[in-house]
């Protein structure tokens, strides 16, 4: 069920107008129905408890359309689905990212690229969590796994056209950043987040790292995964900072360090602990495969 308390967080993708329900209902939640833009009258569907702002439009670029076909296809990506054992890299990444986010209690949070819910379930105690993805398959899996009473609104949208209510969010998280296939799409994503955050609000970005191992092997900063052919972009600290000029940098560090012989450590939870310890060591952490940045929207009052 989509709770109408989330409707004032999103706007029409065409003109940025506020959305309203088509008919007055005593219920505060909708499983299937429609909402419309107060300005242009465009309709958007709520189906199976998910607000669909993408509809038949689809992503604007070929790489994103290819990724969506895979994610909604016969073999969707299962990372984050309950019952799918996480790798040590997933454990290390999630633990480190959640430490960067801090407590979700009492906050209004935006999650971009929520997928089947690897972070959504862990942030579901927020006052309001708006979780966005362009894959309806991923969103349905996410919804099916949410704990009872979770204050989560699931939205199908493309970050290139997504519009949100200005100054409405305390915190934003993105784990899709490296899969945005153009610099313009990344700029659009960052502009959307910057407008949606309250002054001083934090933005946590998890991206692929152009780490020392890749540099030594002279691997390119961008390419396509061997399995599935989805686009990826790796970042150095300097190139990620250059992307985030709308924000004040609070911290940036590599995580998920694959130390020699880590495969000999007996289980994934212990491997993740070893990787986190290695990430705290200067020099060694240059081999971390993920680069995590914590930035903030400037507050003119300060």
């Amino acid at each position: 069920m989509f709770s109408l308390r989330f409707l004032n967080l999103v706007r029409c993708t065409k003109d940025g107008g506020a959305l309203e329900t088509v008919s007055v209902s005593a219920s505060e939640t909708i499983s299937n129905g429609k909402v419309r833009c107060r300005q242009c009258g465009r309709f958007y569907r709520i189906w199976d408890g998910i607000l669909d702002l993408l509809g038949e439009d689809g992503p604007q670029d070929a790489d994103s359309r290819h990724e969506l076909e895979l994610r909604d296809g016969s073999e969707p990506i299962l990372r984050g689905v309950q019952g799918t054992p996480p790798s040590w890299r997933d454990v290390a990444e999630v633990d480190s990212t959640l430490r960067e986010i801090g407590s979700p209690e009492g906050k209004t949070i935006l999650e971009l690229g929520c997928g089947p819910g690897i972070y959504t379930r862990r942030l579901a105690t927020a006052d309001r969590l708006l979780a966005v993805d362009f894959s309806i398959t991923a969103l349905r899996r996410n919804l099916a796994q949410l704990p009872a009473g979770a204050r989560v609104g699931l939205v199908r949208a493309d970050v290139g056209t997504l519009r949100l209510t200005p100054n409405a969010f305390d915190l934003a998280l993105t784990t899709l950043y490296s899969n945005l296939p153009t610099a313009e799409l990344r700029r659009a994503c960052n502009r959307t987040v910057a407008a949606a955050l309250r002054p001083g609000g934090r933005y946590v970005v998890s991206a692929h790292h152009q780490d020392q191992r890749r540099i030594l092997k002279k691997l390119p900063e961008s390419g396509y995964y061997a399995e599935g052919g989805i686009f990826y972009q790796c970042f150095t600290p300097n190139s990620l900072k250059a992307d985030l000029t709308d924000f004040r940098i609070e911290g940036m560090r590599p995580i998920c360090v694959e130390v020699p012989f880590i495969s000999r450590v007996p289980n994934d939870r212990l491997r993740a602990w070893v990787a986190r310890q290695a990430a705290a060591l200067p020099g060694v952490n240059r081999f971390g495969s993920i680069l995590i940045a914590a930035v903030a929207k400037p507050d003119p009052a300060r």
Side-chain angles (χ1 to χ4, degrees):
M1 303 287 279
F2 185 84
S3 173
L4 296 182
R5 68 195 298 261
F6 290 93
L7 199 58
N8 67 350
L9 295 177
V10 293
R11 296 294 180 94
C12 174
T13 60
K14 182 179 179 180
D15 62 8
L19 302 181
E20 62 182 2
T21 55
V22 173
S23 59
V24 178
S25 171
S27 174
E28 293 185 354
T29 61
I30 298 177
S31 179
N32 293 285
K34 290 182 179 180
V35 299
R36 69 184 169 200
C37 174
R38 291 176 182 171
Q39 291 182 187
C40 70
R42 184 174 185 175
F43 286 94
Y44 298 95
R45 182 181 173 188
I46 296 174
W47 53 332
D48 300 331
I50 298 166
L51 174 61
D52 187 0
L53 299 180
L54 187 58
E56 300 299 321
D57 294 343
Q60 298 176 334
D61 63 275
D63 283 324
S64 294
R65 288 196 298 271
H66 171 69
E67 181 179 354
L68 181 57
E69 288 173 2
L70 289 178
R71 293 188 184 279
D72 278 347
S74 59
E75 296 182 7
I77 295 172
L78 297 178
R79 180 178 184 260
V81 174
Q82 285 183 325
T84 302
S87 69
W88 69 263
R89 293 178 182 83
D90 288 339
V91 175
E93 180 182 351
V94 170
D95 287 353
S96 297
T97 303
L98 290 175
R99 285 190 178 91
E100 207 66 64
I101 291 171
S103 172
E105 304 290 337
K107 295 176 182 175
T108 299
I109 298 176
L110 170 66
E111 182 188 0
L112 297 177
C114 63
I118 194 169
Y119 287 101
T120 311
R121 292 187 297 276
R122 294 165 171 83
L123 298 174
T125 56
D127 182 57
R128 286 188 293 178
L129 171 61
L130 193 74
V132 180
D133 203 286
F134 67 177
S135 167
I136 191 63
T137 299
L139 288 165
R140 285 171 175 162
R141 289 169 186 260
N142 196 327
L143 180 61
Q145 300 170 103
L146 287 177
R151 296 183 288 270
V152 177
L154 295 172
V155 176
R156 181 175 180 251
D158 178 26
V159 295
T161 56
L162 177 67
R163 297 200 189 187
L164 301 165
T165 302
N167 304 312
F169 294 86
D170 302 298
L171 186 142
L173 164 68
T174 178
T175 55
L176 59 74
Y177 202 75
S178 280
N179 299 124
L180 298 177
T182 67
E184 178 52 40
L185 194 51
R186 294 194 296 273
R187 282 192 292 270
C189 176
N190 292 335
R191 286 194 299 266
T192 297
V193 172
L197 283 175
R198 298 187 176 103
R202 298 180 72 242
Y203 180 28
V204 177
V205 179
S206 176
H208 294 342
H209 184 208
Q210 183 68 358
D211 61 65
Q212 193 63 32
R213 185 177 288 105
R214 293 185 61 86
I215 292 172
L216 291 173
K217 291 182 178 180
K218 298 183 179 180
L219 296 176
E221 293 188 0
S222 63
Y224 296 86
Y225 300 137
E227 184 178 352
I230 294 174
F231 174 87
Y232 69 85
Q233 176 73 41
C234 295
F235 296 88
T236 65
N238 285 337
S239 64
L240 189 53
K241 286 178 182 177
D243 264 22
L244 298 170
T245 54
D246 292 328
F247 305 91
R248 182 182 71 250
I249 305 294
E250 293 188 334
M252 187 175 298
R253 60 192 177 93
I255 59 174
C256 297
V257 178
E258 186 169 354
V259 298
F261 311 115
I262 195 169
S263 61
R264 298 183 184 179
V265 177
N267 61 67
D268 281 332
R269 175 58 66 177
L270 190 53
R271 289 173 195 162
W273 181 86
V274 171
R276 288 197 301 272
Q277 306 315 303
L281 300 175
V284 175
N285 62 12
R286 292 163 61 190
F287 290 88
S289 61
I290 298 294
L291 190 60
I292 188 167
V295 300
K297 180 176 178 177
D299 187 348
R302 292 186 177 181

